[in-house]
Amino acid sequence: MSDNKSLENLVTQVRRDILRMVHKVNSGHPGGSLGCAEFLVTLYNDIMKLNDGFDMDGKNEDVFFLSNGHISPVIYSVLARRGYFPVEELNTFRLLDSRLQGHPTTHEGLPGIRIASGSLGQGMSVAIGTALTKKLNGDDHLVYSLHGDGELQEGQVWEAAMYAAGNNVDNYIATIDYNQKQIDGATDDVLPLGSLTAKFEAFGWDVLEITDGNNIQAIKDGMAEAKARTGKGKPVCVLLHTEMGNGVDFMMHTHAWHGKAPNDEQLESALAQNPETLGDY
Amino acid sequence: MKKYTNTGSKDTRSGFGDGLTELGKTNPNVVALCADLTGSLKMDDFKNNHPERFFQIGIAEANMIGIAAGMTIGGKIPFTGTFANFSTGRVYDQIRQSVAYSDKNVKICASHAGITLGEDGATHQILEDIGLMKMLPGMTVINTCDYNQTKAATLAIAAHHGPVYLRFGRPKVANFTPENQKFEIGKAVQLTEGTDVTIIATGHLVWEALQAAETLEAAGISAEVINIHTIKPLDEEAILNSVAKTGCVVTAEEHNFLGGLGESVARTLALHQPTPQEFVATNDTFGESGTPAQLMEKYGLNAAAIVKASQKVIARK
């Protein structure tokens, strides 16, 4: 367990990492990355049971899959800050010969990543597969995944959702980053998602909401509740209400920063709002 | 010329099913996934003997590939089963990202490949799958020729680490390769020795190639028949050694000439030893309904077509 203050410090540092990574290469996805910083920091440092070091098979530990791979800056920062690889390596994000590809891959052997993601809609199936293997192995640890809300427009997600409920995959918690924005605009304008609670419940899932998904205590409480609901015959879905671009005033309340990097001036303003806490890479 | 005997026609998919049954007994890490075609894929035995290791996914092939990829994390060896069309084209991006790029130890086992699926027609046939799969970096592509070889290949791919596409078919065809043979991935099998023409065949066309070689022998033409069960990685050495003797090649496959075995052989020859080559394959077309034999005849995929192509290529030397 980690206290909220140290998690908050880590979140601030992760925000700086995200901003500096995308600024350096003038590409990447800061909006969704910032929106999920509190969640992934809390997940990796308070919620999941993790072994030391990295093992692809993830036996006897919790396993996480990032299905919306475009928020790679935040997972890279969180993994590096958790000790999976040197934080200095964040400097190589999206550069030639880097292990930190634009979207996460296993191909370059980056510790902490177990599947490539980026082409959307595939992570829930993968997570279910690993959850099934954990059951076969008698491993009672959990599988977690994170999905964009826009990503739910991919049909494969619903194939997976149907399977998980129909086969009692109850050692699995899927979290939806419910920021209601995607590249082209509001999800309601691009393709309305309708009631996600009603949809997942109709598919047979146990659904709960974290209405302030950028609040560490709310995440701790919500995920504790989610964990408590595992093992009861149903997969668990967490609707995590987040603010895209959270922590940087001009990146919030807009979809404009989905896939755009800040310029020098904007970076300076954004970093000033998030003073260094644990040391920049 | 060495002669081969059909020991009793069987479908290659039953070779897969019986191989899977054996793996169920010998390898506890093998799991099987099927998208509502358990009977067609001959996976019933495995399902009945190991219900805890059999996963009925429903008609959701994309989900099946993703689940298979995820199951490798923790050490399982997933074998997925559906028709070749639904094993490849339908789920190309899932295979590309979650299996091939992620280097997952998934065995994509595809029945009803090619045109010999027959009466269901072109929606269920596929003549593009070898090309689709061989273009994926790191993917091993195997097309077996008979029941015995398919069973042996099924056992062999479980012992091989990495993604594999195993392609086989629906109809009963001649069973002529040895029972309990050792299957070496990437190693061509020379079936007959010859000096006038090399016939490189894969899948159901291997038996046709042997029939063609007998017809050619009667006409005084000596054909060397090579069974290329592994299209990728290709046994280039076997091809070049044979061509050095014969000076011309016929490739034969139940697949479009675009993207198939023939193109892989042509590349090898172009790089190392430019040689006249004729292609027995479909000619950039979809299939249609009909009996397997009718379709093989209409689309030029039988012994007669191989004989004709051999005569043509010899004349080009």
Side-chain angles (χ1 to χ4, degrees):
Chain A
M1 296 296 279
S2 303
D3 66 85
N4 291 4
K5 183 64 197 164
S6 57
L7 290 174
E8 273 160 25
N9 282 340
L10 185 49
V11 166
T12 306
Q13 192 61 50
V14 165
R15 284 186 195 142
R16 290 180 68 87
D17 291 347
I18 292 166
L19 293 159
R20 294 174 67 234
M21 286 161 78
V22 298
H23 170 264
K24 180 181 176 185
V25 292
N26 193 28
S27 76
H29 298 76
S33 292
L34 290 166
C36 291
E38 290 86 354
F39 176 72
L40 287 171
V41 161
T42 309
L43 190 71
Y44 268 86
N45 296 282
D46 189 73
I47 297 163
M48 285 204 296
K49 291 181 201 156
L50 298 170
N51 295 333
D52 291 336
F54 176 68
D55 173 53
M56 177 58 83
D57 278 335
K59 286 183 178 171
N60 301 312
E61 63 177 328
D62 291 343
V63 167
F64 170 76
F65 293 102
L66 180 71
S67 189
N68 49 334
H70 55 275
I71 66 167
S72 56
V74 64
I75 192 70
Y76 290 155
S77 171
V78 167
L79 290 175
R81 298 279 170 188
R82 184 74 172 66
Y84 282 94
F85 55 87
V87 288
E88 295 72 36
E89 206 168 335
L90 297 175
N91 235 330
T92 69
F93 174 61
R94 290 192 168 222
L95 296 180
L96 194 64
D97 298 327
S98 172
R99 297 197 294 181
L100 278 61
Q101 292 288 298
H103 294 76
T105 79
T106 60
H107 194 254
E108 285 73 24
L110 186 69
I113 304 295
R114 292 193 170 87
I115 197 88
S117 61
S119 178
L120 294 171
Q122 301 185 29
M124 190 179 288
S125 303
V126 174
I128 290 167
T130 302
L132 294 173
T133 286
K134 282 202 177 295
K135 286 189 178 227
L136 285 172
N137 288 344
D139 175 350
D140 61 3
H141 290 78
L142 297 175
V143 176
Y144 292 85
S145 63
L146 181 63
H147 310 261
D149 50 3
E151 183 182 9
L152 303 183
Q153 291 157 2
E154 292 281 6
Q156 185 183 346
V157 175
W158 301 101
E159 293 182 6
M162 192 183 295
Y163 182 91
N167 291 276
N168 310 109
V169 183
D170 60 359
N171 54 344
Y172 172 38
I173 301 172
T175 298
I176 312 301
D177 176 17
Y178 191 52
N179 59 28
Q180 302 178 63
K181 294 179 186 68
Q182 56 192 113
I183 299 185
D184 275 0
T187 49
D188 270 349
D189 294 331
V190 177
L191 180 62
L193 302 171
S195 168
L196 290 180
T197 302
K199 282 189 166 76
F200 275 98
E201 282 180 352
F203 274 72
W205 287 56
D206 194 351
V207 184
L208 63 100
E209 294 197 48
I210 299 177
T211 52
D212 186 356
N214 294 108
N215 178 290
I216 286 168
Q217 190 57 47
I219 294 166
K220 280 185 173 179
D221 293 344
M223 295 309 286
E225 172 65 17
K227 273 166 93 163
R229 294 195 195 180
T230 58
K232 299 188 190 315
K234 290 182 174 187
V236 178
C237 172
V238 175
L239 282 185
L240 183 77
H241 293 251
T242 65
E243 181 60 50
M244 194 184 259
N246 190 58
V248 177
D249 54 10
F250 60 89
M251 290 187 174
M252 296 164 71
H253 312 294
T254 173
H255 67 271
W257 295 90
H258 173 97
K260 191 175 92 172
N263 62 27
D264 293 351
E265 206 174 299
Q266 289 160 336
L267 177 70
E268 201 182 328
S269 162
L271 292 180
Q273 297 171 43
N274 293 282
E276 202 170 338
T277 54
L278 303 175
D280 287 339
Y281 58 82
Chain B
M1 192 183 75
K2 190 171 174 187
K3 299 281 191 265
Y4 289 83
T5 311
N6 177 9
T7 57
S9 292
K10 283 184 173 180
D11 45 1
T12 50
R13 57 184 165 146
S14 286
F16 164 69
D18 290 348
L20 197 61
T21 297
E22 196 165 318
L23 284 172
K25 294 176 197 148
T26 57
N27 191 335
N29 283 324
V30 167
V31 295
L33 297 79
C34 190
D36 195 31
L37 285 168
T38 311
S40 296
L41 267 287
K42 305 293 180 187
M43 296 167 91
D44 289 315
D45 262 6
F46 186 95
K47 177 189 168 186
N48 295 333
N49 295 335
H50 312 283
E52 75 291 353
R53 286 194 271 147
F54 177 81
F55 297 86
Q56 172 60 268
I57 305 294
I59 311 166
E61 294 81 5
N63 189 39
M64 178 168 72
I65 296 296
I67 289 179
M71 290 192 87
T72 65
I73 298 166
K76 298 303 167 206
I77 307 171
F79 281 62
T80 67
T82 183
F83 289 178
N85 188 11
F86 314 138
S87 292
T88 58
R90 187 174 181 93
V91 291
Y92 197 64
D93 189 47
Q94 285 76 17
I95 295 174
R96 181 175 183 273
Q97 176 172 286
S98 293
V99 177
Y101 187 40
S102 295
D103 191 29
K104 295 305 180 207
N105 194 23
V106 175
K107 316 304 171 187
I108 300 162
C109 301
S111 183
H112 295 55
I115 207 163
T116 51
L117 168 147
E119 294 82 351
D120 276 346
T123 55
H124 285 55
Q125 298 160 349
I126 189 162
L127 298 162
E128 309 94 49
D129 55 321
I130 291 174
L132 288 170
M133 291 297 108
K134 81 177 186 183
M135 281 195 294
L136 290 170
M139 182 67 74
T140 295
V141 179
I142 298 171
N143 186 189
T144 47
C145 68
D146 70 356
Y147 168 90
N148 285 341
Q149 192 173 68
T150 309
K151 185 176 174 187
T154 303
L155 301 177
I157 63 175
H160 165 89
H161 187 90
V164 174
Y165 178 58
L166 176 61
R167 178 192 210 244
F168 43 89
R170 171 179 180 249
K172 287 189 165 62
V173 293
N175 190 27
F176 59 95
T177 67
E179 213 179 336
N180 303 319
Q181 62 192 274
K182 185 168 184 285
F183 186 92
E184 287 184 74
I185 295 170
K187 187 90 184 134
V189 182
Q190 186 181 318
L191 293 174
T192 69
E193 279 190 52
T195 51
D196 296 328
V197 60
T198 300
I199 303 173
I200 299 173
T202 192
H204 292 152
L205 271 290
V206 175
W207 178 250
E208 299 296 324
L210 288 170
Q211 304 308 298
E214 288 192 17
T215 305
L216 290 166
E217 186 184 41
I221 296 169
S222 160
E224 181 149 304
V225 176
I226 296 176
N227 172 7
I228 292 274
H229 50 63
T230 309
I231 291 151
K232 182 186 174 186
L234 191 64
D235 189 346
E236 298 195 330
E237 195 185 343
I239 294 166
L240 294 170
N241 285 343
S242 178
V243 165
K245 277 194 300 182
T246 63
C248 65
V249 178
V250 171
T251 51
E253 59 195 309
E254 192 181 339
H255 191 272
N256 195 351
F257 79 89
L258 291 166
L261 166 69
E263 281 196 351
S264 290
V265 171
R267 177 181 182 273
T268 301
L269 296 175
L271 283 172
H272 302 286
Q273 197 169 333
T275 306
Q277 178 181 351
E278 290 291 327
F279 298 76
V280 171
T282 57
N283 187 20
D284 199 17
T285 182
F286 293 104
E288 63 180 290
S289 293
T291 67
Q294 286 171 333
L295 292 163
M296 297 290 264
E297 167 74 24
K298 175 165 177 176
Y299 289 88
L301 300 175
N302 55 14
I306 296 170
V307 168
K308 219 163 129 185
S310 299
Q311 289 161 339
K312 194 172 169 192
V313 81
I314 288 166
R316 288 173 56 201
K317 279 205 264 188

